[in-house]
Amino acid sequence: MTGHPVIVGALRTPIGTSGRSLAEVTAADLGATVLRGLRPMLDEHGLEPHEVVLGNCMGPGGDVARVATLAAGFEVSVPALTVDRQCASGLAAIAVAASSLRADRGAVLAGGVESVSTAPWRMWPPHEGEEPVRYERAPFAPTAELDPDMGVSNDLLAAEHGITRGRQDEYAARSHARAAAAIASGSYDAELVAVGDVLHDDRPRQGLTIERLARLRPAFREGGTVTAGNSCGISDGAAAVAVVDAETHEALGIPGLRVLAAATAGVDPRRPGIGLVPAVERAVIAAGIGFDDLDVIEINEAFAGQVLACCDALGLDPVRVCAEGGALALGHPWGASGAVLVVRLFSQLVLRDGGRYGLAAIAAGGGQGVAMVVERCR
């Protein structure tokens, strides 16, 4: 397995519901917080990153990663790259970092950041004397027919795959129960870096039952099955990892996550939620393992129906997914969410010796998916 880059550190901020605990913190400052949080581990082992790669969707423009790197106090000689693969940006950034370290030596910091609360308003230029028109997101596809709203497309995805409302509510209730249990047991503590006085995730709700979820009305289309309760929350947050090349890792002699494989795939943009399926299939095959070998599976829970459709397509038991709660409970800070998945793998596999193999997977607007398979190593 020599030659595979290794993740040797991982942190995330608390995830704040949009407009709440992290509402005044910019994307660059959230990114700087996790980068700064990794600095003691780097210093302990004599590492200095030669690059920073961060994913982001809705920031102010420019190179958010560069601003975050400078704000974190790294040398001006450390360059930075901002990656945009929409919701998969954070995982894509880690894949970019790992790929670069197959041919280079040293350390790269990679992850993602999103501050929906401070995202600037965007306007289309005025046309023929009309007022500018505000838009909340850029197009994911060239025509409206190929670019439905996420809620509608994932409601239709659930219907097409025969995912009932009951299964969705059951899955959502389980995500919240698992997150609440993880909080109570301190399972998140070692992966969190405080943002000011914010120490905990906003969203997880203890005691959110299937019965309570069943009272909610469809949120996106008449007669649909997707509700506010079985959908993720719109959130702020950041996550980052430290990645080193195989030779550097061998010299360090510390535990980590070996990046065995990463894959990206494209699907019909009208059903973007299924995009992680072909990416997962490719990554698992490239890693040379089977689904039964996976000890920890972290799939971004954008919508319960979407996760269940993907699990059914892959032949995965949904009970195996997000064993300590996922985005339905924690929230979905778009550009950071893929990196949050890898932080969760690091916590479970490395910090708590929870098995050998892990999978992170996420779908993205425009009909794309990214997946990564990792292996705990000493």
Side-chain angles (χ1 to χ4, degrees):
M1 289 300 179
T2 58
H4 292 283
V6 178
I7 296 165
V8 294
L11 288 174
R12 68 176 178 90
T13 68
I15 298 173
T17 300
S18 178
R20 291 181 58 189
S21 65
L22 301 178
E24 303 299 321
V25 188
T26 67
D29 285 341
L30 286 170
T33 298
V34 286
L35 297 179
R36 195 181 300 116
L38 289 168
R39 190 61 189 256
M41 185 276 298
L42 296 175
D43 292 344
E44 178 184 353
H45 298 288
L47 297 171
E48 180 71 18
H50 61 75
E51 178 90 74
V52 173
V53 187
L54 295 179
N56 179 249
C57 297
M58 298 289 288
D63 191 346
V64 173
R66 175 64 171 171
V67 180
T69 301
L70 294 173
F74 287 94
E75 296 294 331
V76 296
S77 58
V78 179
L81 170 68
T82 300
V83 173
D84 183 355
R85 204 184 287 275
Q86 291 300 298
C87 294
S89 298
L91 188 54
I94 297 173
V96 167
S99 179
S100 73
L101 287 166
R102 293 180 186 276
D104 199 359
R105 289 196 62 186
V108 176
L109 299 183
V113 58
E114 202 70 64
S115 174
V116 179
S117 296
T118 67
W121 287 10
R122 292 165 166 80
M123 306 283 184
W124 294 114
H127 181 67
E128 296 180 353
E130 297 177 355
E131 291 295 316
V133 176
R134 182 186 175 191
Y135 66 95
E136 293 187 357
R137 67 166 175 85
F140 294 152
T143 66
E145 190 272 333
L146 292 174
D147 191 17
D149 289 338
M150 284 293 176
V152 173
S153 67
N154 283 287
D155 200 323
L156 292 170
L157 176 69
E160 291 161 2
H161 285 257
I163 311 299
T164 65
R165 169 70 183 272
R167 283 188 70 193
Q168 293 175 60
D169 288 347
E170 177 186 23
Y171 186 97
R174 183 166 64 236
S175 183
H176 278 272
R178 286 175 163 181
I183 291 169
S185 67
S187 295
Y188 296 157
D189 292 355
E191 70 191 39
L192 286 168
V193 56
V195 182
D197 59 358
V198 180
L199 300 172
H200 305 291
D201 302 306
D202 283 352
R203 183 175 165 84
R205 296 177 62 187
Q206 190 171 15
L208 186 62
T209 64
I210 298 172
E211 292 73 23
R212 291 176 65 186
L213 288 169
R215 300 172 192 161
L216 300 176
R217 295 181 179 180
F220 301 105
R221 70 186 184 98
E222 188 175 349
T225 56
V226 176
T227 70
N230 57 39
S231 305
C232 66
I234 297 173
S235 309
D236 307 321
V241 302
V243 194
V244 298
D245 66 283
E247 194 171 341
T248 297
H249 175 254
E250 185 175 355
L252 292 173
I254 59 176
L257 291 179
R258 183 178 289 121
V259 180
L260 296 181
T264 304
V267 298
D268 186 340
R270 292 170 295 185
R271 298 293 181 270
I274 205 71
L276 65 86
V277 170
V280 167
E281 292 171 336
R282 293 175 190 177
V284 170
I285 290 171
I289 64 172
F291 289 117
D292 289 342
D293 297 314
L294 294 167
D295 298 295
V296 181
I297 300 173
E298 291 289 326
I299 293 177
N300 187 60
E301 297 175 343
F303 300 87
Q306 173 246 340
V307 177
L308 290 165
C310 290
C311 285
D312 288 358
L314 291 167
L316 285 175
D317 183 350
V319 174
R320 298 178 63 195
V321 175
C322 297
E324 295 182 337
L328 287 169
L330 295 172
H332 183 6
W334 301 316
S337 290
V340 170
L341 301 177
V342 180
V343 173
R344 298 266 53 252
L345 289 178
F346 192 89
S347 290
Q348 293 167 84
L349 291 172
V350 177
L351 300 185
R352 287 183 272 123
D353 202 9
R356 181 176 180 183
Y357 293 110
L359 168 70
I362 187 168
Q368 299 187 87
V370 179
M372 180 176 288
V373 176
V374 297
E375 177 187 22
R376 176 176 51 82
C377 56
R378 298 297 185 186

